[in-house]
Amino acid sequence: GCIRLPGSKSISNRVLLLAGLSEGCTEVHDLLDSDDTRVMLDALQTLGCTLDHRENGVWAVTGIGGMPAVREASLFLGNAGTAMRPLAAALAVLAALHGGRYAVSGVPRMHERPIGDLVDALRQLGCRIDELGVPGYPPLRLCGSGIDGLAPGRLDTEREIRVRGDVSSQFLTALLLALPLASAERAIHIAVDGELISKPYVEITLNLLARFGIAVQRQGFARFTVPQGSRYRSPGRIHVEADASSAS
């Protein structure tokens, strides 16, 4: 007989977000069907991406090309850390550069999962982030810099952005996924404080970024550079790697 292993959750949600931010349409094959991927799909649709569920479980995602199609939205992300952290980072950057107001929230358990180190890193850039509950945890509101929260502004990309590496690799992943959106004027540098945990997950992020046209330079796992003028481009078709641990 023949069985089909489920796709990786971590890869699935990274691919969906990259496809959603890219120019063009991406055919995503072997996407994991799970609560985490469902909330990411719902979020992308709310943000203006076009989704088409085709035969054999293939999802066709037409992205926004790095420009927000929707300027105000409230996103409920359940308990999906693989959606909450990278979406929060991407929306914070988009809101700051182009204007907008976005709220991200989840189930009560999600509001107990820390996000403060990511928020601190984004604030170094000049992103305006309001913590709507306990400081350092979701829910969050991500706004433009104007008084009404909708006016666009500028980000401080000249200085190095520092993020702790010993809490969660998802914070670094979120920055790596979001910062190409802010690289029009100059390269952006990220420095990791402390020993980075879960290095293989960062490798996954870097490999997927390369598939979507972003060649991040790095010095080991201590310093990363997003090149100037980085733009997300659809690879056309991408297959989500199977996850043996989930299959077991």
Side-chain angles (χ1 to χ4, degrees), residues 47-226:
L47 294 171
C49 299
T50 302
L51 306 179
D52 181 16
H53 195 191
R54 298 177 178 174
E55 294 181 359
N56 300 320
V58 176
W59 283 91
V61 181
T62 301
I64 61 174
M67 289 291 293
V70 174
R71 300 301 174 99
E72 288 195 70
S74 295
L75 305 178
F76 177 78
L77 303 175
N79 194 32
T82 57
M84 172 64 74
R85 286 152 174 174
L87 266 173
L91 291 174
V93 170
L94 288 174
L97 290 176
H98 304 290
R101 182 189 291 116
Y102 307 99
V104 291
S105 63
V107 299
R109 178 71 185 97
M110 173 58 76
H111 297 171
E112 297 173 355
R113 301 177 66 179
I115 200 170
D117 288 290
L118 176 60
V119 169
D120 291 344
L122 291 167
R123 284 175 174 164
Q124 293 173 50
L125 281 165
C127 294
R128 176 181 161 188
I129 302 174
D130 299 330
E131 294 158 300
L132 304 179
V134 177
Y137 296 85
L140 305 174
R141 182 168 54 234
L142 317 156
C143 301
S145 59
I147 294 175
D148 63 356
L150 295 175
R154 296 178 62 86
L155 290 177
D156 181 8
T157 55
E158 292 187 20
R159 60 176 175 168
E160 195 171 63
I161 306 304
R162 309 197 69 88
V163 62
R164 286 178 60 187
D166 58 353
V167 179
S168 172
S169 65
Q170 286 185 3
F171 299 153
L172 175 59
T173 279
L175 290 173
L176 289 169
L177 294 174
L179 291 181
L181 300 168
S183 65
E185 295 183 358
R186 60 181 57 85
I188 304 176
H189 305 286
I190 309 169
V192 178
D193 292 331
E195 181 70 17
L196 180 65
I197 62 175
S198 303
K199 293 182 178 70
Y201 287 97
V202 175
E203 291 280 11
I204 289 172
T205 301
L206 295 172
N207 291 336
L208 290 174
L209 283 166
R211 292 290 306 276
F212 282 84
I214 311 295
V216 175
Q217 303 158 12
R218 63 169 174 160
Q219 298 174 8
F221 288 96
R223 195 167 186 269
F224 301 82
T225 299
V226 176

Side-chain angles (χ1 to χ4, degrees), residues 6-92:
S8 160
K9 177 177 71 175
S10 296
I11 295 176
S12 290
N13 266 357
R14 284 168 171 80
V15 165
L16 285 177
L17 180 58
L18 288 167
L21 295 175
S22 293
E23 299 174 1
C25 179
T26 305
E27 281 192 0
V28 183
H29 295 251
D30 304 319
L31 186 74
L32 178 67
D33 182 13
S34 70
D35 289 343
D36 281 29
T37 52
R38 288 186 205 111
V39 299
M40 179 65 90
L41 286 165
D42 289 344
L44 292 179
Q45 190 164 39
T46 300
L47 294 171
C49 299
T50 302
L51 306 179
D52 181 16
H53 195 191
R54 298 177 178 174
E55 294 181 359
N56 300 320
V58 176
W59 283 91
V61 181
T62 301
I64 61 174
M67 289 291 293
V70 174
R71 300 301 174 99
E72 288 195 70
S74 295
L75 305 178
F76 177 78
L77 303 175
N79 194 32
T82 57
M84 172 64 74
R85 286 152 174 174
L87 266 173
L91 291 174

